[in-house]
């Protein structure tokens, strides 16, 4: 195909018009805040995070996890993923780091209190120690879908559960960009859904749960707007055990 001068001029004009709009669209999805980090012996997260994830919350995403302040949203923000990029000239990669919210914390006007692994992951090669020396940095961030290759959504029975008098559950490997707003369990003898209480963080509980295998449904939302109920059939066996994570065979995308 042969391009004459008029074709080149038209192509250049289209590029000039479209390219800034693409860049603007990407920037429009980003927000700005500050980030700091917390120490741990092995640079991973902490198993005692406010979301109630336990050991899962320590090493998920290879320990690239974070406590958040406003984004915690009374626990609804637990399990959400964000791309966080620092804004220190000459120190930061364009990609930044991708983190999972596993804890709540307040810092020096910061939205993110990152694990050392996550904080260092924002740095260009050889600049991690220099970035750590700042202590607090300006960041750009945006919500991104969580991706867990090889894992479906799982329902972990919290260690504080007591068969069969008290049941607490924690959804883990929550993919996509959904928030779980409500959880209900099917009570077969009454033919009705019974709501679970938001105990704290990502933990939902109820006294005297129904007998037999348990079916749940979760109400999921995007950007704070409730979208739909998703049913999780026969997730827990009739002899469920505390501390065990049960596969739902479902991915929330």
């Amino acid at each position: 195909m042969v391009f004459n001068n008029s074709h080149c001029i038209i192509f250049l004009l289209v590029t000039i018009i479209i390219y800034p709009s693409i860049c603007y669209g990407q920037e429009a999805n980003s927000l700005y805040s500050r980030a700091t980090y917390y120490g741990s012996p092995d640079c991973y997260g902490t198993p005692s995070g406010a979301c109630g994830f336990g050991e899962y919350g320590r090493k998920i995403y290879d320990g690239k996890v974070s406590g958040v302040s406003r984004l915690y949203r009374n626990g609804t923000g637990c399990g959400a993923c964000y791309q966080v990029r620092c804004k220190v000239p000459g120190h930061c990669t364009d990609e930044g780091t991708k983190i999972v919210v596993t804890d709540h914390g307040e810092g020096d006007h910061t939205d993110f209190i990152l694990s050392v692994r996550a904080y260092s992951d924002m740095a260009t090669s050889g600049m991690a120690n220099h970035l750590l020396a700042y202590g607090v940095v300006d960041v750009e961030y945006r919500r991104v879908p969580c991706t867990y290759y090889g894992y479906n959504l799982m329902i972990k029975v919290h260690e504080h559960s007591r068969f069969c008098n008290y049941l607490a559950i924690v959804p883990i490997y929550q993919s996509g960009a959904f928030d779980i707003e409500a959880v209900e369990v099917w009570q077969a003898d009454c033919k009705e859904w019974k709501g679970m209480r938001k105990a704290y963080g990502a933990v939902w509980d109820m006294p005297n749960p129904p007998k037999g295998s348990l079916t749940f449904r979760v109400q999921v939302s995007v950007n704070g707007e409730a979208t739909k109920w998703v049913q999780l059939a026969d997730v827990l066996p009739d002899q469920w055990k505390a501390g065990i994570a049960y596969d739902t065979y479902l991915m929330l995308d």
Side-chain angles (χ1 to χ4, degrees):
M1 181 181 291
V2 178
F3 287 89
N4 57 33
N5 289 337
S6 62
H7 284 118
C8 293
I9 293 171
I10 292 171
F11 177 78
L12 179 61
L13 288 173
V14 170
T15 302
I16 291 173
I17 293 170
I18 293 178
Y19 182 73
S21 67
I22 293 173
C23 293
Y24 177 79
Q26 291 172 339
E27 292 296 324
N29 292 328
S30 298
L31 299 169
Y32 297 89
S33 184
R34 283 152 58 87
T36 185
Y37 62 92
Y38 63 91
S40 61
D42 52 11
C43 301
Y44 285 106
T46 171
S48 58
C51 290
F53 288 139
E55 187 64 20
Y56 164 88
R58 195 172 80 86
K59 289 191 175 181
I60 192 65
Y61 268 23
D62 193 30
K64 296 181 182 70
V65 299
S66 180
V68 292
S69 52
R70 293 178 303 126
L71 299 173
Y72 183 71
R73 292 177 289 133
N74 196 33
T76 301
C78 290
C81 293
Y82 292 89
Q83 181 187 24
V84 184
R85 302 187 294 184
C86 59
K87 307 293 287 182
V88 181
H91 289 64
C92 308
T93 66
D94 292 336
E95 297 79 15
T97 188
K98 185 176 179 181
I99 60 93
V100 184
V101 174
T102 59
D103 203 354
H104 175 265
E106 301 284 348
D108 182 16
H109 301 289
T110 60
D111 277 308
F112 296 92
I113 304 178
L114 302 166
S115 67
V116 171
R117 283 175 182 261
Y119 192 94
S120 300
D121 196 46
M122 297 189 294
T124 55
S125 178
M127 297 303 294
N129 287 336
H130 294 275
L131 194 64
L132 289 166
Y134 277 86
V136 180
V137 293
D138 292 328
V139 295
E140 176 185 16
Y141 72 93
R142 63 189 180 98
R143 178 81 182 264
V144 294
C146 297
T147 304
Y148 300 105
Y149 297 106
Y151 290 94
N152 303 308
L153 175 68
M154 302 185 77
I155 299 298
K156 179 185 176 183
V157 179
H158 196 278
E159 287 80 0
H160 292 166
S161 298
R162 300 185 304 275
F163 184 83
C164 55
N165 300 318
Y166 172 74
L167 173 64
I169 63 169
V170 189
I172 58 176
Y173 297 112
Q174 180 182 325
S175 60
F178 293 96
D179 294 324
I180 294 179
E181 300 281 353
V183 179
E184 296 181 343
V185 61
W186 178 247
Q187 189 157 355
D189 54 350
C190 299
K191 304 299 181 186
E192 65 179 9
W193 291 100
K194 187 174 182 180
M196 300 190 75
R197 179 181 72 106
K198 180 69 167 290
Y200 67 93
V203 181
W204 300 83
D205 71 352
M206 68 187 312
N208 303 313
K211 303 295 189 295
S213 62
L214 297 182
T215 290
F216 299 89
R217 68 175 183 178
V218 295
Q219 186 181 45
V220 296
S221 69
V222 178
N223 296 325
E225 297 184 5
T227 55
K228 60 183 178 180
W229 285 93
V230 178
Q231 186 166 315
L232 313 172
D234 297 323
V235 177
L236 299 193
D238 54 2
Q239 296 289 324
W240 51 262
K241 296 181 179 180
I244 302 298
Y246 296 91
D247 201 335
T248 68
Y249 301 100
L250 176 73
M251 294 184 67
L252 290 178
D253 293 323

